[in-house]
Amino acid sequence: MKFHKEGYTTLALSILFVFVINALVHFFYSDNVVLTWIVYIISFVLLVTVIQFFRSPIRKITPGEQKILCPADGKVVVIEETEETEYFKDRRLQISIFMSPINVHINRSPIAGVVRFFKYHPGKYLMAWNPKSSTLNERTTIVVESSFGVEVLFRQIAGALARRIVWYVNEGKEVKQGEEFGFIKFGSRVDVFLPLGTKVNVKLGDKVKGGVTVLGEFDEEQPIS
């Protein structure tokens, strides 16, 4: 288990905050044992929460050209055919993963290939499970084209608590399947748009792991939409 680089500043500020609060309590309320222990407990919970949130577990990635790996840890909240209006402008299969504050918030590329499109959208901070968050919230849109010409679109979407989206890709960059392409802080959502005809291996409510769970598979027998 490692600590993710995106958490360094947050951890440093948390440690400073805990140090100052504990110092003040010891200076002004050293005789109040109950208050001292309450501050100890709150300080411990805060530090554990920060460490837990920014943890970066080592994942064994098993790549496969026909596989679509899950881009994030969380729960499957949407599986439906929908109109994708930004890039494809046609019908696609959407799978959405909701990431709660207790999930690992690293985002991983579902497929290997070349980034053909990237765009950052400033926006609102609706609850991540709100259907309108896909088009109204702060978000990024990334499209990766596989070695056999199939394009997959995925979006990082900020939630009510997530106020910072981080990405490590740009147009023209080659990405490996399962490697990190970004990070979202404090609760969020990732949408994946797949060609119609893609075999889906998950169902609503499933708990999934980024880079490990196989969301679906391209159908070798059927032409991809």
Side-chain angles (χ1 to χ4, degrees), residues 50-155:
V50 170
I51 293 170
Q52 190 266 351
F53 179 83
F54 288 101
R55 69 195 187 279
S56 179
I58 298 172
R59 295 276 166 87
K60 182 180 180 181
I61 309 297
T62 305
E65 281 195 338
Q66 298 302 123
K67 296 178 182 177
I68 303 104
L69 297 183
C70 187
D73 287 28
K75 183 171 75 171
V76 178
V77 293
V78 173
I79 302 176
E80 64 181 15
E81 184 180 321
T82 187
E83 190 79 15
E84 198 293 304
T85 58
E86 181 178 2
Y87 180 81
F88 294 118
K89 296 180 172 55
D90 63 11
R91 304 292 290 179
R92 294 280 151 166
L93 178 63
Q94 177 182 340
I95 302 178
S96 299
I97 296 94
F98 172 69
M99 304 157 65
S100 78
I102 64 172
N103 288 128
V104 173
H105 273 57
I106 296 167
N107 301 145
R108 300 177 183 274
S109 180
I111 64 171
V114 178
V115 178
R116 295 303 185 193
F117 178 82
F118 173 85
K119 189 171 183 179
Y120 167 75
H121 303 266
K124 299 182 179 180
Y125 298 98
L126 303 175
M127 290 294 183
W129 57 79
N130 187 324
K132 292 184 178 180
S133 66
S134 294
T135 54
L136 296 181
N137 277 21
E138 179 184 2
R139 63 199 182 280
T140 64
T141 300
I142 302 165
V143 178
V144 173
E145 181 182 0
S146 72
S147 60
F148 50 93
V150 176
E151 293 181 321
V152 172
L153 182 152
F154 38 100
R155 287 196 179 101

Side-chain angles (χ1 to χ4, degrees), residues 6-82:
E6 297 298 340
Y8 291 163
T9 300
T10 302
L11 180 61
L13 291 174
S14 298
I15 292 173
L16 178 62
F17 174 78
V18 165
F19 175 80
V20 171
I21 291 298
N22 279 268
L24 289 174
V25 169
H26 279 284
F27 184 80
F28 291 106
Y29 304 100
S30 58
D31 294 333
N32 192 328
V33 177
V34 174
L35 178 61
T36 301
W37 274 101
I38 290 175
V39 172
Y40 283 162
I41 293 171
I42 292 175
S43 299
F44 176 77
V45 171
L46 174 63
L47 291 178
V48 168
T49 300
V50 170
I51 293 170
Q52 190 266 351
F53 179 83
F54 288 101
R55 69 195 187 279
S56 179
I58 298 172
R59 295 276 166 87
K60 182 180 180 181
I61 309 297
T62 305
E65 281 195 338
Q66 298 302 123
K67 296 178 182 177
I68 303 104
L69 297 183
C70 187
D73 287 28
K75 183 171 75 171
V76 178
V77 293
V78 173
I79 302 176
E80 64 181 15
E81 184 180 321
T82 187

